[in-house]
């Protein structure tokens, strides 16, 4: 890092203070304001953190103007084409792609942790049968701290590793159980002869009474979806995990916090919202009406799956997902799929509309993922859950990076107070 550049800030009182400018390996420089309060007796004000870097990180790089996403230096398109979800997970966690031996060891270790403590199944029975699976996921992952005491010491690297592996391995099991519970079917135990995505499909779709054939095209599509959602630097849920973890909270609590943040429709909940929106649009003739609604300042409606805080260009993940959608729909002989046709027409019309062009609003990762998941057979209520399964490795990697950083501090933003001044209680 080069610390020689300086930014000068003229304060209203005439004082000029100097702040170091730091360069990363890629991306714009940042102004280091850690001494600002000390020097100027002022804070910065940046709700939504649109101009604020919250940490240093080696994991993921995004160039939003160019539409580039790199994990540890590798392009997301290449990882989606040539890697597997668990190999990409290793890359995110350890910084490099694994050797053949390391990969085998990692995959084996994850596979050996797929089962849940049997008592956790009792926990499920406490939920209402119509509970949203994200609510169940949040609760069960948080409760893991009550079951796996031997991996909650965040200062012990071995315990952190076991907790990380447990979370990655058990998320599909927890997610599938949430679904099975909601439809009144028996839980299906993990099958360690299957790979990560095959096992997930098996736990969601098979029933003990019948033979279930795993469709390799669906398993491959799911694996790619997991890769595409695995990490995205300091998004809302990852920042939530980091903030929760900064206080020293155990990893299960931190990941539960991340799940809660992901659930919102402005974040991971958008994949569910896209399908609801397409169903509401119903026919190509109605698209214009919805585009007009999205442009209307007096209407809170937004095109779901469109726009991004960082991408001001096509989200590279959406491009890959569009291709996967075609493959999966072809497999299901559904290429004239109504939702897919609607989505492509909506994308075409929005991308040619001045409002969307001016504001640089493009399809994001959530725009096509729901169409693929629906074609595979996943219910809409599991879409955000699948996002959470994938993002767990990203959360874990950031949490580990933060804990391993000797300089990390508890996250504690300040505020601009606009309430009543001090007053007397009579
Ligand atoms: N439809 C219509 N207008 C939009 C949209 C949209 N989807 N997204 C942004 N805008 C407009 C917005 O009204 C604002 O206009 P103006 O400058 O006139 O006030 C401008 O574009 C900038 O929007 P913003 O809300 O200030 O931008 P942001 O960076 O705070 O929000 C976003 C990013 C993703 C929350 C937003 O684009 C959005 O709500 N999109 C729809 C929900 C969605 O698809 N979320 C998934 C995000 S990607 C995956 C993930 O993070 O999980």
């Amino acid at each position: 890092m080069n610390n020689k550049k300086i930014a000068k800030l003229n304060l209203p009182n005439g004082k000029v203070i100097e702040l170091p400018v730091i360069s990363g390996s890629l991306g714009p420089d940042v102004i280091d304001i850690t001494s600002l309060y000390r020097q100027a007796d002022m804070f910065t004000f940046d709700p939504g953190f649109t101009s604020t870097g919250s940490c240093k990180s080696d994991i993921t790089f995004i160039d939003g103007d160019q539409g580039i996403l790199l994990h540890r230096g590798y392009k997301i398109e290449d990882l989606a084409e040539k890697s597997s979800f668990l190999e990409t997970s290793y890359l995110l966690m350890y910084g490099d792609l694994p050797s053949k031996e390391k990969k085998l060891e990692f995959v084996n270790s994850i596979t050996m942790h797929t089962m849940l403590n049997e008592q956790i199944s009792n926990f499920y029975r406490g939920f209402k049968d119509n509970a949203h699976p994200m609510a169940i996921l949040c609760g069960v992952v948080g409760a893991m701290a009550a079951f796996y005491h031997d991996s909650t010491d965040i200062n012990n690297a071995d315990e952190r590793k076991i907790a990380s592996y447990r979370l990655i391995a058990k998320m599909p099991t927890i997610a599938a159980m949430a679904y099975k519970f909601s439809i009144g079917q028996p839980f299906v135990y993990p099958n360690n002869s299957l790979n990560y995505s095959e096992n997930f499909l098996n736990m969601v779709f098979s029933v003990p009474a019948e033979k279930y054939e795993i469709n390799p095209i669906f398993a491959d599509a799911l694996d790619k979806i997991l890769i595409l959602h695995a990490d995205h630097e300091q998004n809302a849920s990852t920042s939530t995990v980091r903030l929760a973890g900064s206080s020293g909270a155990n990893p299960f609590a931190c990941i539960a916090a991340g799940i809660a943040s992901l659930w919102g429709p402005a974040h991971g909940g958008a994949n569910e919202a896209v399908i609801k929106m397409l169903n509401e649009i119903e026919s190509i003739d109605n698209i214009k009406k919805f585009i007009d609604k999205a442009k209307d300042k007096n209407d809170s409606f937004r095109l779901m799956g469109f726009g991004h805080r960082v991408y001001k260009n096509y989200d590279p993940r959406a491009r890959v997902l569009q291709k996967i959608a075609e493959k999966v729909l072809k497999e299901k002989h559904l290429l004239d799929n109504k939702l897919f046709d609607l989505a492509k027409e909506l994308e075409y019309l929005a991308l040619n509309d001045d409002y969307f062009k001016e504001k640089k609003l493009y399809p994001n990762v959530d725009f096509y993922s729901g169409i693929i998941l629906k074609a595979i057979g996943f219910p809409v209520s599991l879409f955000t859950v699948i996002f959470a399964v994938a993002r767990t490795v990203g959360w874990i990697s950031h949490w580990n990076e933060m804990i391993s950083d000797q300089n990390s501090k508890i996250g504690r933003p300040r505020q601009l107070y606009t309430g009543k001044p001090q007053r007397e209680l009579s």
Side-chain angles (χ1 to χ4, degrees), residues 384-406:
T384 313
V385 169
I386 293 164
F387 195 153
V389 169
R391 186 55 59 86
T392 296
V393 66
W395 292 330
I396 280 294
S397 304
H398 282 272
W399 175 78
N400 270 304
E401 185 178 63
M402 183 190 66
I403 305 281
S404 313
D405 179 355
Q406 306 288 331

Side-chain angles (χ1 to χ4, degrees), residues 137-173:
L137 197 69
C138 232
V140 174
V141 171
M144 282 173 79
F147 289 86
Y148 300 104
H149 307 282
D150 59 342
S151 51
T152 51
D153 179 358
I154 64 155
N155 297 313
N156 179 321
D158 288 336
E159 292 205 15
R160 290 208 305 269
K161 181 174 158 182
I162 299 170
S164 304
Y165 284 24
R166 279 183 171 145
L167 279 157
I168 296 167
K170 294 181 201 304
M171 280 299 266
T173 315

Side-chain angles (χ1 to χ4, degrees), residues 266-268 297 302-303 305-309 355 359 364 366:
H267 193 5
K297 281 273 148 254
R302 286 185 169 199
L303 280 193
F306 255 80
H308 198 277
R309 170 61 61 79
Y355 173 94
K359 296 192 187 300
N364 60 47
D366 292 311

